[in-house]
Amino acid sequence: MHTNYYFLRQLAPALTERLRGYRVAACFTQEKDELVVGLTNGAQEFWLKAQLGANFPALALPETFQRARSNSVDLFPDLLGEQVESVAAWSQDRVLQVNFRSGARLVFKLYGPRPNAIFRPTPDAPAQLFQQKLLADAVLRPQPAAAPPTPAEPPAPAESAQSVESVESAVQKLPPPLADLPLRYLRAHGYDEDAPEAKTRQVNQVLAQLEKPAHYFIIQLDGRTRLSLLPLGEVLETFGGDDPVAALHRFVPMALGRRALETETHQLRQLLTRRADEAGTAAAHARRRLHALAHEAGYRNSADLIMANLHAIAPGAAQVEVIDFYTNEPRTIKLKPSEKPQRTAENLYRKAKNQQIEERELTERIARREAEAFVALERLEEMDSQPALAELRGLRNWRKQHGLNPAANANTKVPGELPFKVFEDRGFTILVGRSAENNDLLTQKYAHKDDLWLHAKDVAGSHVVIRHRAGQTVPEPVIEHAAMLAGWYSKRQNDTLCPVTVTPKKFVRKPRGARPGQVIVEREQVVLVKPGNPFEREQ
C-alpha cells in the first residue's frame, strides 16, 4: 500500500509541510531504475530516492545520501534550482506530483508494471521521461477528481438483495491496486457471513479508516513485507497516523532488505513442492504399472503352456487353444506361423526374465521416489520450524547444506530417469530408443556429434547410441553388444544374423519433412551380429 492513493493522499500534505521552500540541488541516477533528487533550504537537506523498477516501485526518503564518484549521470538539468511549492497526489491514482513555484512539475508514476518519472519545465512544455521507452507517459495528465464515495444507507427489509449488491459494488469501487488488503481485512472480520446491514457498516468503517488512518502498519503477509493502513497478518511495526514520512522512511529499506530473503524463500518452496509432486506422481505411475504386471497373464505362463502343448500345435499355426493349468480356464495363445513354437516359447521366457527385471526396477523406483517426496516434504516443514531460516544468511547456508540451490539443480538429469533404455558396458553408456518419436529425441536432442550411432540396416528399429568418452576409443566388444541390441530391437529380431549400420552421429541427419525416426546416413560401416540382449545374462 506504499504506492496507493489512500497512503499517497496522506503523504502529499506531509511532504508539502516538510519541503515547501526547498530548492533542488541535485538530480541524478547511479543505479538502474533509480532516480535521486536532493533538496535543500540552505540549512538542511532532504533526499527523494525513487525506485522505478517494475518489481518494487517505491519512493524512499533516506536521511543522507552519498553520490558515487563514477557511474553517476545527471538528469533533468532544468530541474536544478527549482523551488518546491507543494506536493499533491492524483485523485484515485498511484501518482505523486511535486509542484514548483515556476510552474515546473515532477511526477512520480508508481504503477507496478511500468513506473516512471516525468518532468515538465512548464505545464505546457514537452515531457522529459526517466524511462524513455514508456512513450505514452509523455501525455500523462491527472484525471478530474471523482466525487468521494458516500456512506451507504441502511437497507430496507424489502430491498435486502439489492442492498447486498450495492455493498459489493462499494467494495469493488476501491482502487484496484489497494483493494486486496481491505477486502482481506473485511473477510477476516466476518464480512462474508454478516447480514447486509452489518456489511454496509463494515465497509463504511474501513473507508473511514482509509480516508483518515489512525496508524500505519508494517506487516508480514503471505511471505511479503508490506505497508498497510489496516492491521492485517503479522504486524512488525506501528507508526502514528500523523507521520506517514516516518512510516515510509522505515518501510522501504526494510522491504528492500527483506526482499532477497522473501524471493529466495519463495523459490525454495516452489522447488521443494515441485520435487515432492513430481516424485509422488512418478511413484504412483510406477505403482500402477507394477499392479498391472502382477495381474496380467505372464510371459512365463504362456511359454509353459506352449511347451506343455507342443504335441497339439500344428505346423504353421497362428494360434493354439489350450486349458490354462494355472487357472483351469480355456485360453488362446497367439503364435507366429513363420516361427517354430519352441522359438516362440524361448522368446517368451526371455521376455519373462525382462519382466522380472522390470518388476524389480519398478519396486526400487517406487521406494526411491517415495523417499524423495518424503525428504522434500520434510524440508518444507523445516523451513517453517527453524528460526535460523528467517535470516538470508541462514537460509543460504541451509540450502547449500541440503543441495537445494535452484540454479544448480534446474537442469540436473538423473541417469536412471532418462527416457530411453540404458545399458552400461565397460564404462560406456548405451542408449536405446523406445519408439519412432523417442528415436528422434535420442538422435536429434541427446546424441552428441562424436557419439556412435547404430541401427539395424534396411528395416524399422530402435536407434542405438554409444556415448562418447573424451580421449577414449570405443572397444570392439562394446560396439558388438550395441549392434546386438540394435538387431534385437528391430524387425530382424528373429533373424540368425543381422547387418547393423555403425557411424558417428555427425554423419546422421534428418531430412526436412521426414517421418518420426526417419534419417539419412551419409557414411557407414556395417557389422554382422546375432540379434540379442547381451546384458540379460548379467542382469
Side-chain angles (χ1 to χ4, degrees):
M1 293 178 72
H2 63 288
T3 61
N4 294 116
Y5 166 69
Y6 282 101
F7 177 73
L8 295 181
R9 73 192 298 272
Q10 305 298 325
L11 180 64
L15 287 178
T16 297
E17 183 179 350
R18 293 282 297 273
L19 295 179
R20 179 177 284 126
Y22 276 63
R23 292 185 182 276
V24 178
C27 181
F28 59 92
T29 181
Q30 61 187 36
E31 299 285 348
K32 183 181 179 184
D33 299 329
E34 177 187 275
L35 176 65
V36 181
V37 181
L39 304 103
T40 181
N41 63 356
Q44 294 178 315
E45 62 181 25
F46 193 95
W47 293 92
L48 293 173
K49 186 172 73 169
Q51 305 282 348
L52 299 175
N55 292 329
F56 185 72
L59 191 64
L61 307 175
E63 291 182 356
T64 61
F65 193 90
Q66 295 296 325
R67 182 172 182 175
R69 295 183 179 180
S70 59
N71 299 323
S72 179
V73 180
D74 289 317
L75 293 176
F76 305 149
D78 295 337
L79 181 59
L80 298 180
E82 292 287 351
Q83 192 171 20
V84 176
E85 173 64 28
S86 64
V87 180
W90 287 14
S91 178
Q92 300 295 326
D93 210 338
R94 291 166 288 169
V95 179
L96 198 68
Q97 177 174 303
V98 182
N99 302 313
F100 298 95
R101 291 180 178 176
S102 67
R105 302 286 185 267
L106 179 60
V107 173
F108 295 103
K109 188 189 76 168
L110 301 174
Y111 295 1
R114 51 190 189 281
N116 205 354
I118 305 106
F119 173 65
R120 295 178 186 274
T122 63
D124 298 325
Q128 301 175 29
L129 305 178
F130 176 77
Q131 301 281 15
Q132 299 185 19
K133 61 183 178 181
L134 302 178
L135 299 178
D137 291 346
V139 295
L140 194 65
R141 301 282 185 178
Q143 299 298 317
T150 57
E153 295 294 334
E159 299 176 349
S160 58
Q162 182 179 0
S163 299
V164 172
E165 182 178 350
S166 66
V167 170
E168 295 287 354
S169 300
V171 175
Q172 295 301 329
K173 286 179 181 177
L174 292 172
L178 178 68
D180 65 326
L181 291 182
L183 282 175
R184 293 180 68 164
Y185 179 81
L186 285 168
R187 289 182 172 127
H189 288 76
Y191 173 82
D192 291 330
E193 295 78 19
D194 278 345
E197 297 85 350
K199 288 185 175 182
T200 303
R201 187 165 53 252
Q202 281 198 60
V203 170
N204 289 335
Q205 289 173 352
V206 169
L207 287 174
Q209 285 181 265
L210 297 176
E211 292 286 344
K212 191 174 182 180
H215 298 91
Y216 303 104
F217 305 94
I218 298 179
I219 64 171
Q220 185 82 5
L221 185 65
D222 295 338
R224 294 173 56 196
T225 303
R226 304 181 68 175
L227 180 64
S228 174
L229 279 63
L230 302 166
L232 198 64
E234 178 188 356
V235 177
L236 303 178
E237 294 189 29
T238 303
F239 297 86
D242 59 344
D243 199 356
V245 173
L248 189 62
H249 171 76
R250 175 68 177 134
F251 165 71
V252 174
M254 177 187 289
L256 289 173
R258 298 175 66 96
R259 188 171 181 80
L261 173 65
E262 293 165 358
T263 300
E264 292 189 20
T265 300
H266 177 68
Q267 290 174 345
L268 193 51
R269 287 187 182 280
Q270 282 187 323
L271 173 66
L272 290 170
T273 302
R274 185 171 64 250
R275 280 191 179 183
D277 291 344
E278 290 176 353
T281 302
H285 285 319
R287 198 178 293 109
R288 285 196 292 269
R289 174 60 179 162
L290 188 61
H291 182 271
L293 291 175
H295 290 79
E296 67 182 16
Y299 295 118
R300 180 173 294 278
N301 293 4
S302 300
D304 289 344
L305 293 174
I306 291 174
M307 295 302 294
N309 292 275
L310 284 175
H311 62 282
I313 301 176
Q319 63 183 31
V320 60
E321 298 283 343
V322 299
I323 298 297
D324 189 336
F325 45 72
Y326 292 102
T327 62
N328 291 324
E329 298 288 336
R331 183 175 164 196
T332 300
I333 300 177
K334 293 184 179 181
L335 302 171
K336 292 184 179 180
S338 60
E339 185 177 78
K340 290 183 178 182
Q342 293 91 330
R343 183 61 185 273
T344 301
E346 179 185 346
N347 291 334
L348 289 174
Y349 280 126
R350 183 182 291 109
K351 290 182 178 180
K353 192 170 184 179
N354 290 340
Q355 183 174 335
Q356 291 176 350
I357 295 170
E358 183 181 3
E359 290 174 351
R360 184 171 66 248
E361 290 177 347
L362 286 171
T363 303
E364 294 172 354
R365 184 182 303 171
I366 290 170
R368 183 177 68 253
R369 299 299 265 170
E370 285 181 341
E372 290 175 6
F374 176 78
V375 169
L377 293 174
E378 194 175 49
R379 298 285 180 264
L380 282 170
E381 291 182 1
E382 287 182 28
M383 291 186 66
D384 294 326
S385 61
Q386 292 196 12
L389 303 186
E391 298 293 335
L392 185 59
R393 179 177 296 179
L395 179 71
R396 288 177 174 174
N397 289 338
W398 182 83
R399 186 181 67 188
K400 183 178 180 180
Q401 176 187 351
H402 294 291
L404 293 172
N405 189 329
N409 289 277
N411 298 316
T412 301
K413 296 288 185 179
V414 180
E417 301 299 327
L418 286 172
F420 317 109
K421 296 181 179 73
V422 183
F423 303 92
E424 295 291 335
D425 190 9
R426 293 170 173 83
F428 286 83
T429 301
I430 303 173
L431 304 178
V432 181
R434 297 177 179 270
S435 64
E437 291 77 9
N438 195 242
N439 284 339
D440 270 351
L441 181 66
L442 172 58
T443 300
Q444 306 301 324
K445 300 295 184 183
Y446 276 76
H448 185 267
K449 65 183 182 68
D450 293 325
D451 293 345
L452 278 186
W453 183 89
L454 301 91
H455 193 278
K457 191 169 178 61
D458 299 330
V459 293
S462 294
H463 294 192
V464 177
V465 168
I466 305 174
R467 282 284 178 85
H468 170 72
R469 298 185 65 181
Q472 298 187 32
T473 303
V474 182
E476 288 298 328
V478 176
I479 297 176
E480 181 181 350
H481 291 164
M484 292 172 65
L485 290 171
W488 180 250
Y489 293 105
S490 76
K491 294 293 185 180
R492 295 187 184 273
Q493 182 183 86
N494 298 314
D495 292 1
T496 303
L497 288 174
C498 171
V500 175
T501 294
V502 182
T503 186
K505 191 280 177 181
K506 61 186 176 183
F507 297 126
V508 180
R509 62 181 180 87
K510 184 176 181 66
R512 186 184 299 274
R515 297 189 302 274
Q518 188 178 33
V519 296
I520 292 177
V521 180
E522 297 176 346
R523 299 184 190 177
E524 65 177 350
Q525 291 181 343
V526 178
V527 297
L528 285 173
V529 294
K530 180 180 179 180
N533 186 342
F535 303 99
E536 283 185 351
R537 292 186 293 276
E538 298 175 10
Q539 293 172 334

